[in-house]
């Protein structure tokens, strides 16, 4: 069975958002011949030679007919402008109904969001644009701390190289984990980086060296709201609780309980910086139980309150905006606050 893959590009697209997934599908074909037929496409207004954000031009064919198994909309500086094309929005809306899987990499999520296909769904994008995506499209449940997310038949991924993670997950879905693992080995990337793995891993104080504990911390992030005991962690890695606790502390330098708290605080900080959710909601989402408990943990660990961190994040966000009208409107609204 050959699955036809459409890679949709546009003026000023990010070339790695395109080439990463293409490379993964191409290598999958080496292990299971004729699994994928790859086609680079664009809207009729721009088909032909499309200039990427780095200036390199790529030939794109017309996106018709819509006979794709999977359509991947790439990201790049031109994504938001492309979202203003009525033909693009109509095409994405039709694709959401007709293709088996619709996906985006990085800022390609803005195009899907503009088309309304992410409404009511979980989605992610590059961490630096997550707050803007959430602000511009409040009906989208933006989760900024994920590498990729699958919600129904819609897949979204974080920035740039995360498109490879998403593609490996698609390949695993089609051909099995063994083939996806072989593709990852050929690409010299991790196959087991879970969708819930942090985009901003530098925020984590724990930095595991073994693949077992690296995967375990990814699992912790995906189950962050749940009660996570040493027995449960040990079972996850097929070790006895006693041996697990000893091995974990020896490698990590902290107890499992301390590591889990650090992961929870890191995820909470990401949500505070990149979403508008209440502190109580964030605290419950990451397993810290209450906003008050989260506040005390933040003061102890970061020497800052959640309120202070959010204020700084909002100031940085406004400073980065190039849309003067948006900034003026926000400032006017702030002046009306008591």
């Amino acid at each position: 069975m050959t699955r036809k893959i459409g890679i949709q590009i546009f003026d000023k697209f990010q070339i790695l958002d395109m080439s990463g997934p293409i490379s993964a599908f191409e290598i999958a074909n080496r292990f299971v011949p004729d699994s994928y037929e790859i086609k680079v496409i664009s809207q009729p207004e721009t088909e032909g030679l499309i200039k990427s954000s780095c200036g390199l031009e790529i030939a794109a064919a017309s996106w018709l007919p819509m006979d794709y198994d999977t359509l991947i909309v790439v990201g790049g500086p031109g994504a938001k402008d492309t979202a203003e094309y009525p033909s693009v929005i109509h095409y994405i809306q039709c694709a959401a109904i007709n293709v088996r899987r619709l996906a985006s990499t990085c800022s390609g999520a803005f195009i899907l969001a503009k088309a309304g296909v992410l409404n009511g769904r979980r989605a992610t994008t590059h961490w630096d644009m997550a707050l803007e995506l959430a602000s511009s499209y409040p009906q989208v449940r933006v989760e900024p701390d994920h590498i990729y997310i699958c919600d129904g038949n819609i897949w979204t991924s974080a920035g740039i190289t995360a498109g490879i993670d998403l593609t490996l997950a698609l390949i695993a879905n089609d051909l099995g984990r063994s083939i996806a693992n072989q593709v990852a080995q050929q690409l010299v990337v991790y196959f087991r980086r879970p969708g819930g793995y942090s985009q901003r891993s530098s925020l984590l104080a724990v930095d595991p060296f073994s693949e077992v504990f690296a995967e375990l911390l990814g699992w912790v992030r995906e189950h962050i709201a749940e009660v996570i005991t040493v027995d449960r962690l040990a079972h996850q890695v097929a070790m006895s609780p006693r041996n697990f606790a000893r091995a974990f502390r020896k490698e990590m330098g902290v107890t499992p309980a301390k590591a889990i708290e650090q992961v929870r605080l890191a995820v909470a900080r990401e949500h505070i910086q990149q979403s508008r959710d209440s502190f109580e909601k964030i605290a419950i989402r990451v397993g810290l139980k209450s906003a008050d408990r989260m506040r005390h943990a933040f003061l102890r660990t970061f020497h800052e309150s959640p309120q202070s961190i959010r204020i700084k994040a909002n100031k940085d966000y406004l400073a980065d905006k190039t849309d003067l009208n948006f900034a003026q409107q926000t400032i006017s609204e702030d002046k009306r606050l008591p």
Side-chain angles (χ1 to χ4, degrees), residues 317-330:
Y317 174 61
L318 287 176
D320 287 341
K321 293 295 293 183
T322 57
D323 188 339
L324 182 59
N325 291 333
F326 178 91
Q328 289 174 336
Q329 178 184 352
T330 304

Side-chain angles (χ1 to χ4, degrees), residues 212-322:
V212 171
F213 289 142
E215 183 175 0
L216 182 64
L217 288 182
W219 179 89
V220 167
R221 293 182 69 96
E222 293 181 328
H223 298 81
I224 200 73
E226 303 171 14
V227 176
I228 303 175
T229 63
V230 169
D231 285 353
R232 193 176 180 191
L233 293 173
H235 176 75
Q236 189 66 23
V237 295
M239 296 174 68
S240 71
R242 184 177 178 181
N243 286 338
F244 168 78
R246 185 190 305 116
F248 190 94
R249 179 160 191 152
K250 180 180 179 181
E251 179 167 322
M252 308 296 291
V254 295
T255 64
K258 185 63 176 177
I260 291 170
E261 182 187 52
Q262 291 173 334
V263 172
R264 283 185 165 135
L265 290 174
V267 175
R269 183 170 181 165
E270 292 167 2
H271 281 293
I272 287 167
Q273 291 175 317
Q274 301 170 19
S275 81
R276 293 182 174 181
D277 292 339
S278 69
F279 295 145
E280 188 71 23
K281 185 176 181 180
I282 291 172
I284 293 171
R285 181 183 297 162
V286 302
L288 290 172
K289 297 184 179 180
S290 71
D292 187 58
R293 180 173 176 176
M294 182 174 72
R295 180 177 178 276
H296 286 295
F298 266 63
L299 290 173
R300 183 178 65 250
T301 304
F302 301 126
H303 307 292
E304 281 188 292
S305 68
Q307 292 89 340
S308 175
I309 290 173
R310 175 160 283 177
I311 288 170
K312 289 181 179 179
N314 286 339
K315 286 180 178 178
D316 290 342
Y317 174 61
L318 287 176
D320 287 341
K321 293 295 293 183
T322 57

Side-chain angles (χ1 to χ4, degrees), residues 45-298:
E45 296 92 334
T46 61
E47 66 178 279
L49 286 177
I50 310 296
K51 184 175 288 188
S52 68
S53 57
C54 71
L56 185 65
E57 294 183 328
I58 300 294
S62 170
W63 58 23
L64 296 175
M66 189 186 296
D67 56 351
Y68 305 103
D69 170 85
T70 302
L71 177 66
I72 300 176
V73 181
V74 306
K80 295 169 196 173
D81 289 339
T82 300
E84 299 304 318
Y85 280 93
S87 61
V88 172
I89 298 308
H90 177 69
Y91 182 79
I92 296 299
Q93 291 169 340
C94 292
I97 299 171
N98 290 286
V99 302
R100 182 169 67 96
R101 297 179 301 206
L102 176 62
S104 68
T105 61
C106 197
S107 57
F110 282 82
I111 298 175
L112 301 194
K114 181 74 173 182
V117 301
L118 296 182
N119 289 349
R121 294 181 184 268
R122 299 166 58 236
T124 194
T125 187
H126 191 289
W127 61 265
D128 195 34
M129 293 178 284
L131 180 58
E132 182 179 1
L133 182 65
S135 301
S136 301
Y137 302 97
Q139 291 179 284
V140 181
R141 295 162 54 195
V142 179
E143 298 189 10
D145 58 327
H146 279 60
I147 293 293
Y148 63 84
I149 288 176
C150 172
D151 190 330
N153 72 325
I154 309 291
W155 297 65
T156 53
S157 76
I160 310 179
T161 59
I164 297 175
D165 294 273
L166 180 146
T167 306
L168 289 171
L170 297 178
I171 292 170
N173 186 256
D174 294 336
L175 306 177
R177 291 174 60 87
S178 177
I179 297 299
N181 190 38
Q182 292 179 69
V183 174
Q185 290 173 346
Q186 289 295 314
L187 290 170
V188 197
V189 298
Y190 284 109
F191 165 53
R192 294 181 180 177
R193 189 163 69 156
Y197 201 84
S198 175
Q199 291 192 42
R200 305 181 71 179
S201 57
S202 61
L203 291 177
L204 293 177
V206 290
D207 185 17
F209 293 98
S210 80
E211 186 177 353
V212 171
F213 289 142
E215 183 175 0
L216 182 64
L217 288 182
W219 179 89
V220 167
R221 293 182 69 96
E222 293 181 328
H223 298 81
I224 200 73
E226 303 171 14
V227 176
I228 303 175
T229 63
V230 169
D231 285 353
R232 193 176 180 191
L233 293 173
H235 176 75
Q236 189 66 23
V237 295
M239 296 174 68
S240 71
R242 184 177 178 181
N243 286 338
F244 168 78
R246 185 190 305 116
F248 190 94
R249 179 160 191 152
K250 180 180 179 181
E251 179 167 322
M252 308 296 291
V254 295
T255 64
K258 185 63 176 177
I260 291 170
E261 182 187 52
Q262 291 173 334
V263 172
R264 283 185 165 135
L265 290 174
V267 175
R269 183 170 181 165
E270 292 167 2
H271 281 293
I272 287 167
Q273 291 175 317
Q274 301 170 19
S275 81
R276 293 182 174 181
D277 292 339
S278 69
F279 295 145
E280 188 71 23
K281 185 176 181 180
I282 291 172
I284 293 171
R285 181 183 297 162
V286 302
L288 290 172
K289 297 184 179 180
S290 71
D292 187 58
R293 180 173 176 176
M294 182 174 72
R295 180 177 178 276
H296 286 295
F298 266 63

